[in-house]
Amino acid sequence: MKPALSLGFFGFFGRSAVLRVFDADLRAVDLHPNLVPEAVKLTAMRLLMDRAGGNDPSAEESRAAAEIIAYCMIGADAFAGANGFPLTEDIEQRIDAALDHGTSLDAKLVLLALQANVIQPSVVDHFRLEAASD
């Protein structure tokens, strides 16, 4: 059985540990978690949990997902200013590889940011992204 992801409810039932860790990971890459829609965070965590066979994602996987989401949401310049150029270049290489393969977790996270309309236009332009329309 998959662990439950909970947002909390009127301060009663606490936020799930997985989401608290992901919030901390977002903060660590200079993106305040309140700026990320809950639906994006829940979907990202569900993707990670599915990849982990229904278990909680590892700390490394959570951090890697937060890096992709943050890069997409704040753009290359702001991300580099907060996290340095080596990490920014690493994220850009991961996105390039993800776009080449199309089905990786990183590709799904980029698609999530694109579909949720939380991606920076500069990221869309840099990687020539487009959402398919029906």
Side-chain angles (χ1 to χ4, degrees):
M1 187 169 129
K2 291 184 179 181
L5 289 174
S6 68
L7 298 173
F9 183 69
F10 297 115
F12 290 110
F13 311 101
R15 191 168 180 81
S16 70
V18 172
L19 286 173
R20 287 194 311 268
V21 168
F22 192 59
D23 284 348
D25 290 336
L26 290 168
R27 279 188 185 94
V29 290
D30 203 40
L31 179 60
H32 196 285
N34 287 346
L35 298 175
V36 182
E38 291 297 324
V40 170
K41 289 189 272 190
L42 287 169
T43 303
M45 288 300 94
R46 184 54 66 198
L47 289 170
L48 288 173
M49 291 170 75
D50 287 348
R51 182 176 179 182
N55 298 313
D56 287 350
S58 70
E60 295 81 18
E61 291 171 324
S62 179
R63 171 67 187 230
E67 291 169 352
I68 291 282
I69 296 291
Y71 180 93
C72 288
M73 288 187 67
I74 65 177
D77 292 337
F79 190 88
N83 300 289
F85 289 106
L87 181 58
T88 303
E89 290 173 348
D90 180 54
I91 300 303
E92 289 174 344
Q93 289 172 357
R94 285 174 51 200
I95 292 173
D96 280 332
L99 296 176
D100 287 343
H101 295 97
T103 58
S104 69
L105 177 62
D106 287 346
K108 291 175 183 179
L109 293 170
V110 172
L111 180 61
L112 171 62
L114 183 65
Q115 291 293 324
N117 203 29
V118 296
I119 197 167
Q120 279 290 318
S122 62
V123 175
V124 172
D125 292 341
H126 179 77
F127 293 101
R128 295 182 191 94
L129 302 174
E130 58 184 51
S133 58
D134 293 339

Coordinates of all heavy atoms in Angstrom, one line a residue, residues 29-125:
V29 N 17.0 25.2 -2.6 CA 17.4 25.7 -3.9 C 16.8 27.0 -4.2 O 16.6 27.4 -5.3 CB 17.1 24.6 -5.0 CG1 18.1 23.4 -4.9 CG2 15.7 24.2 -5.0
D30 N 16.4 27.7 -3.1 CA 15.9 29.1 -3.2 C 14.6 29.3 -3.8 O 14.3 30.3 -4.5 CB 17.0 30.0 -3.9 CG 16.8 31.5 -3.5 OD1 16.6 31.7 -2.3 OD2 16.9 32.3 -4.3
L31 N 13.7 28.3 -3.7 CA 12.3 28.5 -4.1 C 11.4 28.3 -2.9 O 11.4 27.2 -2.3 CB 12.0 27.5 -5.2 CG 10.5 27.5 -5.7 CD1 10.2 28.9 -6.3 CD2 10.3 26.5 -6.8
H32 N 10.7 29.3 -2.5 CA 9.8 29.2 -1.3 C 8.7 28.2 -1.7 O 8.0 28.4 -2.7 CB 9.3 30.5 -0.9 CG 8.7 30.4 0.5 ND1 7.5 29.8 0.8 CD2 9.2 30.9 1.7 CE1 7.3 29.9 2.1 NE2 8.3 30.5 2.7
P33 N 8.4 27.2 -0.9 CA 7.4 26.2 -1.2 C 6.0 26.8 -1.4 O 5.2 26.2 -2.1 CB 7.5 25.2 0.0 CG 8.3 25.8 1.0 CD 9.1 26.9 0.4
N34 N 5.7 27.9 -0.8 CA 4.4 28.5 -0.9 C 4.2 29.0 -2.4 O 3.1 29.3 -2.8 CB 4.2 29.7 0.1 CG 4.0 29.2 1.5 OD1 3.7 28.0 1.7 ND2 4.1 30.1 2.4
L35 N 5.3 29.2 -3.1 CA 5.2 29.6 -4.5 C 4.9 28.5 -5.5 O 4.5 28.7 -6.6 CB 6.4 30.4 -4.9 CG 6.8 31.6 -4.2 CD1 8.1 32.2 -4.6 CD2 5.7 32.7 -4.3
V36 N 5.0 27.3 -5.0 CA 4.7 26.1 -5.8 C 3.3 25.6 -5.5 O 3.0 25.3 -4.3 CB 5.8 25.0 -5.5 CG1 5.5 23.8 -6.4 CG2 7.2 25.5 -5.7
P37 N 2.5 25.5 -6.5 CA 1.1 25.1 -6.2 C 1.1 23.7 -5.6 O 2.0 22.8 -5.9 CB 0.5 25.0 -7.6 CG 1.2 26.0 -8.4 CD 2.7 25.9 -7.9
E38 N 0.2 23.4 -4.7 CA 0.2 22.1 -4.0 C 0.0 21.0 -5.0 O 0.5 19.9 -4.8 CB -1.0 22.1 -2.9 CG -0.7 23.0 -1.7 CD 0.5 22.6 -0.9 OE1 0.8 21.4 -0.8 OE2 1.2 23.5 -0.4
A39 N -0.8 21.3 -6.0 CA -1.0 20.2 -7.0 C 0.3 19.8 -7.7 O 0.5 18.6 -8.0 CB -2.0 20.7 -8.1
V40 N 1.2 20.8 -7.9 CA 2.5 20.5 -8.5 C 3.3 19.6 -7.6 O 3.9 18.6 -7.9 CB 3.2 21.8 -8.9 CG1 4.7 21.5 -9.3 CG2 2.5 22.5 -10.1
K41 N 3.3 20.0 -6.3 CA 4.1 19.3 -5.3 C 3.5 17.9 -5.1 O 4.3 16.9 -5.1 CB 4.1 20.0 -4.0 CG 4.9 21.3 -4.0 CD 5.1 21.9 -2.6 CE 4.0 22.8 -2.3 NZ 4.2 23.6 -1.0
L42 N 2.2 17.7 -5.1 CA 1.6 16.4 -4.9 C 1.9 15.5 -6.1 O 2.3 14.3 -6.0 CB 0.1 16.5 -4.7 CG -0.3 17.0 -3.3 CD1 -1.8 17.4 -3.3 CD2 0.0 16.0 -2.3
T43 N 1.8 16.1 -7.3 CA 2.1 15.3 -8.5 C 3.5 14.9 -8.6 O 3.9 13.8 -8.9 CB 1.7 16.1 -9.8 OG1 0.3 16.4 -9.7 CG2 1.9 15.3 -11.0
A44 N 4.4 15.8 -8.3 CA 5.9 15.5 -8.3 C 6.2 14.4 -7.3 O 6.9 13.4 -7.6 CB 6.7 16.7 -7.9
M45 N 5.6 14.5 -6.1 CA 5.9 13.4 -5.1 C 5.2 12.1 -5.5 O 5.8 11.0 -5.3 CB 5.3 13.8 -3.7 CG 6.2 14.9 -3.1 SD 7.9 14.4 -2.8 CE 8.7 15.1 -4.3
R46 N 4.1 12.1 -6.2 CA 3.5 10.9 -6.6 C 4.3 10.3 -7.7 O 4.5 9.0 -7.8 CB 2.0 11.2 -7.1 CG 1.3 9.9 -7.5 CD 1.2 8.9 -6.5 NE 0.4 9.3 -5.3 CZ 0.5 8.7 -4.2 NH1 1.2 7.6 -4.0 NH2 -0.3 9.1 -3.2
L47 N 4.9 11.1 -8.6 CA 5.8 10.5 -9.6 C 7.0 9.9 -9.0 O 7.4 8.8 -9.4 CB 6.2 11.7 -10.6 CG 5.2 12.2 -11.5 CD1 5.8 13.5 -12.2 CD2 4.8 11.2 -12.6
L48 N 7.5 10.5 -8.0 CA 8.7 9.9 -7.3 C 8.3 8.7 -6.5 O 9.1 7.7 -6.5 CB 9.3 10.9 -6.3 CG 10.0 12.1 -6.8 CD1 10.4 13.1 -5.8 CD2 11.3 11.7 -7.6
M49 N 7.2 8.6 -5.9 CA 6.7 7.5 -5.2 C 6.4 6.3 -6.1 O 6.8 5.2 -5.8 CB 5.5 7.8 -4.3 CG 5.9 8.7 -3.2 SD 4.4 9.4 -2.3 CE 4.0 7.9 -1.4
D50 N 5.9 6.6 -7.3 CA 5.6 5.6 -8.3 C 6.9 5.0 -8.8 O 7.1 3.8 -8.9 CB 4.8 6.1 -9.5 CG 3.4 6.4 -9.1 OD1 2.9 6.0 -8.1 OD2 2.7 7.1 -9.9
R51 N 7.9 5.8 -9.0 CA 9.2 5.3 -9.4 C 9.9 4.5 -8.3 O 10.6 3.6 -8.6 CB 10.1 6.5 -9.7 CG 11.5 6.1 -10.2 CD 12.3 7.3 -10.6 NE 13.6 6.9 -11.1 CZ 14.5 7.7 -11.4 NH1 14.3 9.0 -11.4 NH2 15.7 7.3 -11.8
A52 N 9.6 4.8 -7.1 CA 10.2 4.0 -5.9 C 9.4 2.8 -5.6 O 9.5 2.3 -4.5 CB 10.4 5.0 -4.7
G53 N 8.5 2.4 -6.4 CA 7.6 1.2 -6.2 C 6.6 1.4 -5.1 O 6.2 0.5 -4.4
G54 N 6.1 2.7 -4.9 CA 5.1 3.0 -3.9 C 5.7 3.4 -2.6 O 4.9 3.7 -1.7
N55 N 7.0 3.4 -2.5 CA 7.6 3.8 -1.2 C 8.0 5.3 -1.3 O 8.0 5.9 -2.3 CB 8.9 3.0 -1.0 CG 8.6 1.5 -0.8 OD1 7.7 1.1 -0.1 ND2 9.3 0.7 -1.6
D56 N 8.3 5.8 -0.1 CA 8.8 7.2 -0.1 C 10.1 7.3 -0.9 O 10.9 6.4 -0.9 CB 9.1 7.6 1.4 CG 7.8 7.8 2.2 OD1 6.7 7.8 1.6 OD2 7.9 7.9 3.4
P57 N 10.2 8.4 -1.6 CA 11.4 8.7 -2.4 C 12.6 8.9 -1.4 O 12.4 9.3 -0.3 CB 11.1 9.9 -3.2 CG 10.0 10.6 -2.4 CD 9.2 9.5 -1.7
S58 N 13.8 8.6 -1.9 CA 15.0 8.9 -1.1 C 15.2 10.4 -1.1 O 14.7 11.2 -1.8 CB 16.2 8.2 -1.8 OG 16.5 8.9 -3.0
A59 N 16.1 10.8 -0.1 CA 16.4 12.2 0.0 C 17.0 12.7 -1.3 O 16.8 13.9 -1.7 CB 17.3 12.4 1.2
E60 N 17.9 11.9 -1.9 CA 18.5 12.4 -3.2 C 17.5 12.6 -4.3 O 17.6 13.5 -5.1 CB 19.6 11.3 -3.6 CG 20.7 11.2 -2.6 CD 20.4 10.3 -1.4 OE1 19.5 9.5 -1.4 OE2 21.2 10.5 -0.4
E61 N 16.5 11.7 -4.4 CA 15.5 11.8 -5.4 C 14.6 13.0 -5.2 O 14.3 13.7 -6.1 CB 14.6 10.5 -5.5 CG 15.3 9.3 -6.0 CD 14.5 8.0 -5.8 OE1 13.8 7.9 -4.8 OE2 14.6 7.2 -6.7
S62 N 14.3 13.3 -3.9 CA 13.5 14.4 -3.6 C 14.2 15.7 -3.9 O 13.7 16.6 -4.5 CB 13.1 14.4 -2.1 OG 12.3 15.5 -1.8
R63 N 15.5 15.8 -3.6 CA 16.3 16.9 -3.8 C 16.5 17.2 -5.4 O 16.4 18.3 -5.8 CB 17.7 16.8 -3.2 CG 18.8 17.8 -3.6 CD 18.4 19.2 -3.0 NE 19.4 20.2 -3.5 CZ 20.0 21.0 -2.8 NH1 19.8 21.0 -1.5 NH2 20.8 21.9 -3.3
A64 N 16.7 16.1 -6.1 CA 16.8 16.2 -7.6 C 15.5 16.7 -8.2 O 15.6 17.5 -9.1 CB 17.2 14.8 -8.2
A65 N 14.4 16.3 -7.7 CA 13.1 16.7 -8.2 C 12.9 18.2 -7.9 O 12.5 19.0 -8.7 CB 12.0 15.9 -7.7
A66 N 13.3 18.6 -6.7 CA 13.2 20.0 -6.3 C 14.1 20.9 -7.2 O 13.7 22.0 -7.5 CB 13.6 20.2 -4.8
E67 N 15.3 20.4 -7.5 CA 16.2 21.2 -8.4 C 15.5 21.4 -9.8 O 15.6 22.6 -10.3 CB 17.5 20.4 -8.6 CG 18.3 20.4 -7.3 CD 19.5 19.4 -7.4 OE1 19.6 18.6 -8.4 OE2 20.3 19.4 -6.4
I68 N 14.9 20.4 -10.4 CA 14.3 20.6 -11.7 C 13.1 21.5 -11.6 O 13.0 22.5 -12.4 CB 13.8 19.2 -12.2 CG1 15.0 18.3 -12.6 CG2 12.9 19.4 -13.4 CD1 15.7 18.7 -13.9
I69 N 12.2 21.3 -10.6 CA 11.1 22.2 -10.4 C 11.5 23.7 -10.2 O 11.0 24.6 -10.8 CB 10.2 21.7 -9.3 CG1 9.6 20.4 -9.6 CG2 9.1 22.8 -8.9 CD1 8.6 20.3 -10.7
A70 N 12.5 23.9 -9.3 CA 13.0 25.2 -9.0 C 13.6 25.9 -10.3 O 13.3 27.0 -10.6 CB 14.0 25.2 -7.9
Y71 N 14.4 25.1 -11.0 CA 15.0 25.7 -12.2 C 13.9 26.1 -13.2 O 14.0 27.2 -13.8 CB 15.9 24.7 -12.9 CG 16.6 25.2 -14.2 CD1 17.8 25.8 -14.1 CD2 15.9 25.1 -15.4 CE1 18.4 26.3 -15.3 CE2 16.4 25.6 -16.6 CZ 17.7 26.2 -16.5 OH 18.2 26.7 -17.7
C72 N 12.9 25.3 -13.4 CA 11.8 25.6 -14.3 C 11.1 26.8 -13.8 O 10.7 27.6 -14.7 CB 10.9 24.4 -14.5 SG 11.6 23.0 -15.4
M73 N 10.8 26.9 -12.5 CA 10.0 28.0 -12.0 C 10.7 29.3 -11.9 O 10.1 30.4 -12.1 CB 9.4 27.6 -10.7 CG 8.3 26.6 -10.8 SD 7.4 26.2 -9.3 CE 6.5 27.8 -9.0
I74 N 12.0 29.3 -11.6 CA 12.7 30.6 -11.4 C 13.6 31.0 -12.5 O 14.1 32.1 -12.6 CB 13.4 30.7 -10.0 CG1 14.6 29.7 -9.9 CG2 12.4 30.5 -8.9 CD1 15.4 29.8 -8.6
G75 N 13.9 30.1 -13.4 CA 14.7 30.4 -14.6 C 16.2 30.2 -14.3 O 16.6 30.2 -13.1
A76 N 17.0 30.2 -15.3 CA 18.4 29.9 -15.2 C 19.2 31.0 -14.4 O 20.0 30.7 -13.6 CB 19.0 29.8 -16.6
D77 N 18.9 32.3 -14.7 CA 19.7 33.3 -14.1 C 19.4 33.3 -12.6 O 20.4 33.4 -11.8 CB 19.3 34.7 -14.7 CG 19.8 34.8 -16.1 OD1 20.7 34.1 -16.5 OD2 19.2 35.6 -16.8
A78 N 18.2 33.3 -12.1 CA 17.9 33.3 -10.7 C 18.4 32.0 -10.0 O 18.9 32.1 -8.9 CB 16.4 33.5 -10.4
F79 N 18.3 30.9 -10.7 CA 18.7 29.6 -10.2 C 20.3 29.7 -10.0 O 20.8 29.3 -9.0 CB 18.3 28.5 -11.1 CG 18.5 27.1 -10.4 CD1 17.6 26.5 -9.6 CD2 19.7 26.4 -10.6 CE1 17.8 25.3 -9.0 CE2 20.0 25.2 -10.1 CZ 19.0 24.6 -9.3
A80 N 21.0 30.2 -11.0 CA 22.4 30.3 -10.9 C 22.9 31.2 -9.8 O 23.8 31.0 -9.1 CB 23.0 30.7 -12.3
G81 N 22.1 32.3 -9.7 CA 22.5 33.3 -8.6 C 22.4 32.7 -7.3 O 23.1 33.0 -6.4
A82 N 21.4 31.8 -7.1 CA 21.2 31.2 -5.7 C 22.0 30.0 -5.5 O 22.3 29.7 -4.4 CB 19.7 30.9 -5.6
N83 N 22.2 29.2 -6.6 CA 22.8 27.9 -6.4 C 24.2 27.7 -7.1 O 24.8 26.6 -7.0 CB 21.8 26.8 -7.0 CG 20.5 26.9 -6.2 OD1 20.5 26.5 -5.1 ND2 19.5 27.4 -6.9
G84 N 24.6 28.7 -7.8 CA 25.9 28.6 -8.5 C 25.8 28.0 -9.9 O 24.8 27.3 -10.3
F85 N 26.8 28.3 -10.7 CA 26.8 27.8 -12.1 C 27.0 26.3 -12.3 O 26.4 25.8 -13.2 CB 27.8 28.6 -12.9 CG 27.4 30.1 -13.1 CD1 28.0 31.1 -12.4 CD2 26.4 30.4 -14.0 CE1 27.6 32.4 -12.6 CE2 26.0 31.7 -14.2 CZ 26.6 32.7 -13.5
P86 N 27.8 25.7 -11.5 CA 28.0 24.2 -11.7 C 26.7 23.5 -11.5 O 26.3 22.6 -12.4 CB 29.0 23.8 -10.6 CG 29.8 25.1 -10.3 CD 28.8 26.2 -10.5
L87 N 25.8 23.8 -10.5 CA 24.6 23.1 -10.4 C 23.6 23.5 -11.5 O 22.9 22.6 -12.0 CB 23.9 23.4 -9.0 CG 22.6 22.7 -8.7 CD1 22.7 21.2 -8.8 CD2 22.0 23.1 -7.4
T88 N 23.6 24.8 -11.9 CA 22.8 25.2 -13.0 C 23.1 24.4 -14.3 O 22.2 24.0 -15.0 CB 22.9 26.7 -13.2 OG1 22.6 27.4 -12.0 CG2 22.0 27.2 -14.3
E89 N 24.4 24.3 -14.6 CA 24.8 23.6 -15.8 C 24.4 22.1 -15.7 O 24.0 21.5 -16.7 CB 26.3 23.7 -16.0 CG 26.7 25.1 -16.4 CD 28.3 25.3 -16.4 OE1 29.0 24.4 -15.9 OE2 28.7 26.3 -17.0
D90 N 24.5 21.5 -14.5 CA 24.1 20.1 -14.3 C 22.6 20.0 -14.5 O 22.2 19.0 -15.2 CB 24.4 19.7 -12.8 CG 24.0 18.3 -12.6 OD1 24.4 17.4 -13.3 OD2 23.2 18.1 -11.6
I91 N 21.8 20.9 -14.0 CA 20.3 20.9 -14.3 C 20.0 21.0 -15.8 O 19.2 20.3 -16.3 CB 19.6 22.0 -13.5 CG1 19.8 21.8 -12.0 CG2 18.1 21.9 -13.8 CD1 19.4 20.4 -11.4
E92 N 20.7 21.9 -16.4 CA 20.5 22.1 -17.9 C 20.9 20.8 -18.7 O 20.2 20.5 -19.6 CB 21.3 23.3 -18.4 CG 20.7 24.6 -17.9 CD 21.5 25.8 -18.2 OE1 22.7 25.7 -18.6 OE2 20.9 26.9 -18.1
Q93 N 21.9 20.2 -18.2 CA 22.3 18.9 -18.9 C 21.3 17.8 -18.6 O 20.9 17.0 -19.5 CB 23.7 18.4 -18.4 CG 24.8 19.3 -18.9 CD 26.1 19.0 -18.3 OE1 26.3 18.1 -17.5 NE2 27.2 19.6 -18.8
R94 N 20.7 17.8 -17.4 CA 19.7 16.8 -17.1 C 18.4 17.1 -17.9 O 17.8 16.2 -18.4 CB 19.3 16.9 -15.6 CG 20.4 16.2 -14.7 CD 20.1 16.4 -13.2 NE 18.7 16.1 -12.9 CZ 18.1 16.5 -11.7 NH1 18.8 17.3 -10.9 NH2 16.9 16.1 -11.5
I95 N 18.1 18.4 -18.1 CA 16.9 18.7 -18.9 C 17.1 18.3 -20.4 O 16.3 17.7 -21.0 CB 16.5 20.2 -18.7 CG1 16.0 20.4 -17.3 CG2 15.4 20.6 -19.8 CD1 15.7 21.9 -17.0
D96 N 18.3 18.6 -20.9 CA 18.6 18.2 -22.3 C 18.5 16.7 -22.4 O 17.9 16.3 -23.4 CB 20.1 18.7 -22.6 CG 20.1 20.2 -23.0 OD1 19.1 20.7 -23.5 OD2 21.2 20.7 -22.8
A97 N 19.1 16.0 -21.5 CA 19.0 14.5 -21.6 C 17.6 14.0 -21.5 O 17.1 13.1 -22.2 CB 19.8 13.9 -20.5
A98 N 16.8 14.7 -20.6 CA 15.4 14.3 -20.4 C 14.6 14.5 -21.7 O 13.7 13.7 -22.1 CB 14.8 15.1 -19.3
L99 N 14.9 15.7 -22.4 CA 14.1 16.0 -23.6 C 14.5 15.0 -24.7 O 13.7 14.7 -25.6 CB 14.4 17.4 -24.0 CG 13.8 18.5 -23.0 CD1 14.2 19.9 -23.4 CD2 12.3 18.3 -22.8
D100 N 15.8 14.5 -24.7 CA 16.2 13.6 -25.7 C 15.5 12.2 -25.5 O 15.2 11.5 -26.5 CB 17.7 13.4 -25.7 CG 18.5 14.5 -26.2 OD1 17.9 15.4 -26.9 OD2 19.7 14.6 -25.9
H101 N 15.2 11.8 -24.3 CA 14.7 10.5 -24.0 C 13.1 10.6 -23.8 O 12.5 9.6 -24.1 CB 15.3 9.9 -22.8 CG 16.8 9.6 -23.1 ND1 17.8 10.4 -22.7 CD2 17.4 8.5 -23.7 CE1 18.9 9.9 -23.1 NE2 18.7 8.8 -23.7
G102 N 12.6 11.7 -23.3 CA 11.2 11.9 -23.2 C 10.4 11.2 -22.2 O 9.3 11.6 -21.9
T103 N 10.9 10.1 -21.6 CA 10.1 9.4 -20.6 C 10.7 9.3 -19.2 O 10.2 8.6 -18.3 CB 9.8 7.9 -21.1 OG1 11.1 7.3 -21.3 CG2 9.0 7.9 -22.4
S104 N 11.8 10.0 -19.0 CA 12.5 9.9 -17.7 C 11.7 10.8 -16.7 O 10.8 11.5 -17.0 CB 13.9 10.5 -17.8 OG 13.8 11.9 -18.1
L105 N 12.0 10.6 -15.5 CA 11.4 11.4 -14.4 C 11.6 12.8 -14.6 O 10.7 13.7 -14.4 CB 11.9 10.9 -13.0 CG 11.4 11.7 -11.8 CD1 9.9 11.5 -11.7 CD2 12.1 11.3 -10.6
D106 N 12.9 13.2 -15.0 CA 13.1 14.6 -15.2 C 12.2 15.2 -16.3 O 11.7 16.3 -16.2 CB 14.6 14.8 -15.6 CG 15.6 14.7 -14.4 OD1 15.1 14.7 -13.3 OD2 16.8 14.6 -14.6
A107 N 12.0 14.4 -17.4 CA 11.1 14.9 -18.5 C 9.7 15.0 -18.0 O 9.0 16.0 -18.3 CB 11.2 13.8 -19.6
K108 N 9.3 14.1 -17.1 CA 7.9 14.3 -16.5 C 7.8 15.5 -15.6 O 6.8 16.1 -15.6 CB 7.6 13.0 -15.8 CG 7.4 11.8 -16.7 CD 7.1 10.5 -15.9 CE 7.0 9.3 -16.9 NZ 6.8 8.1 -16.1
L109 N 8.9 15.8 -14.9 CA 8.8 17.0 -14.1 C 8.8 18.3 -14.9 O 8.1 19.2 -14.5 CB 10.0 17.0 -13.1 CG 10.0 15.9 -12.0 CD1 11.3 15.8 -11.3 CD2 8.8 16.1 -11.1
V110 N 9.6 18.3 -16.0 CA 9.6 19.5 -16.8 C 8.2 19.6 -17.5 O 7.6 20.7 -17.5 CB 10.7 19.4 -17.9 CG1 10.5 20.5 -19.0 CG2 12.0 19.4 -17.3
L111 N 7.6 18.5 -17.9 CA 6.3 18.5 -18.5 C 5.3 19.0 -17.5 O 4.3 19.8 -17.8 CB 5.9 17.2 -19.0 CG 4.5 17.0 -19.7 CD1 4.4 18.0 -20.9 CD2 4.3 15.6 -20.1
L112 N 5.4 18.5 -16.2 CA 4.5 19.0 -15.1 C 4.6 20.5 -15.0 O 3.5 21.2 -14.9 CB 4.9 18.3 -13.8 CG 4.2 18.8 -12.6 CD1 2.7 18.6 -12.6 CD2 4.8 18.1 -11.4
A113 N 5.8 21.1 -15.0 CA 5.9 22.5 -14.8 C 5.3 23.2 -16.0 O 4.6 24.3 -15.9 CB 7.4 22.9 -14.7
L114 N 5.5 22.7 -17.2 CA 5.0 23.3 -18.4 C 3.4 23.2 -18.4 O 2.8 24.2 -18.7 CB 5.5 22.6 -19.7 CG 5.1 23.1 -21.0 CD1 5.7 24.5 -21.2 CD2 5.7 22.2 -22.1
Q115 N 2.9 22.1 -18.1 CA 1.4 21.9 -18.1 C 0.7 22.7 -17.0 O -0.4 23.1 -17.2 CB 1.0 20.4 -18.1 CG 1.4 19.6 -19.3 CD 0.6 20.0 -20.5 OE1 -0.6 20.4 -20.4 NE2 1.2 20.0 -21.7
A116 N 1.4 22.8 -15.9 CA 0.8 23.6 -14.8 C 1.0 25.1 -15.0 O 0.5 25.9 -14.2 CB 1.5 23.2 -13.5
N117 N 1.7 25.5 -16.0 CA 1.9 26.8 -16.4 C 2.7 27.6 -15.3 O 2.4 28.7 -15.0 CB 0.6 27.5 -16.7 CG 0.8 28.8 -17.6 OD1 1.7 28.8 -18.4 ND2 -0.1 29.7 -17.4
V118 N 3.7 26.9 -14.7 CA 4.5 27.6 -13.7 C 5.9 27.7 -14.2 O 6.8 28.1 -13.4 CB 4.4 26.8 -12.3 CG1 3.0 26.9 -11.8 CG2 4.9 25.4 -12.5
I119 N 6.2 27.4 -15.4 CA 7.5 27.4 -16.0 C 7.9 28.8 -16.5 O 7.0 29.5 -17.0 CB 7.7 26.4 -17.1 CG1 9.1 26.1 -17.4 CG2 6.9 26.8 -18.3 CD1 9.3 24.8 -18.3
Q120 N 9.1 29.2 -16.3 CA 9.5 30.6 -16.8 C 9.6 30.6 -18.3 O 10.0 29.6 -18.9 CB 10.9 30.9 -16.3 CG 11.0 31.4 -14.9 CD 10.4 32.8 -14.8 OE1 10.7 33.6 -15.6 NE2 9.7 33.0 -13.7
P121 N 9.1 31.7 -18.9 CA 9.2 31.8 -20.4 C 10.6 31.6 -20.9 O 10.8 31.1 -22.0 CB 8.6 33.2 -20.7 CG 7.7 33.5 -19.5 CD 8.4 32.8 -18.3
S122 N 11.6 32.1 -20.1 CA 13.0 31.9 -20.6 C 13.4 30.5 -20.7 O 14.2 30.1 -21.6 CB 13.9 32.7 -19.6 OG 13.9 32.1 -18.3
V123 N 12.9 29.6 -19.8 CA 13.2 28.2 -19.8 C 12.5 27.6 -21.1 O 13.1 26.8 -21.8 CB 12.7 27.5 -18.5 CG1 12.9 26.0 -18.6 CG2 13.5 28.0 -17.4
V124 N 11.3 28.0 -21.3 CA 10.5 27.5 -22.5 C 11.3 27.8 -23.8 O 11.5 27.0 -24.6 CB 9.1 28.1 -22.5 CG1 8.4 27.7 -23.8 CG2 8.3 27.6 -21.3
D125 N 11.8 29.1 -23.8 CA 12.5 29.5 -25.0 C 13.9 28.8 -25.1 O 14.2 28.4 -26.2 CB 12.8 31.0 -25.0 CG 11.5 31.8 -25.1 OD1 10.4 31.3 -25.6 OD2 11.5 33.0 -24.7

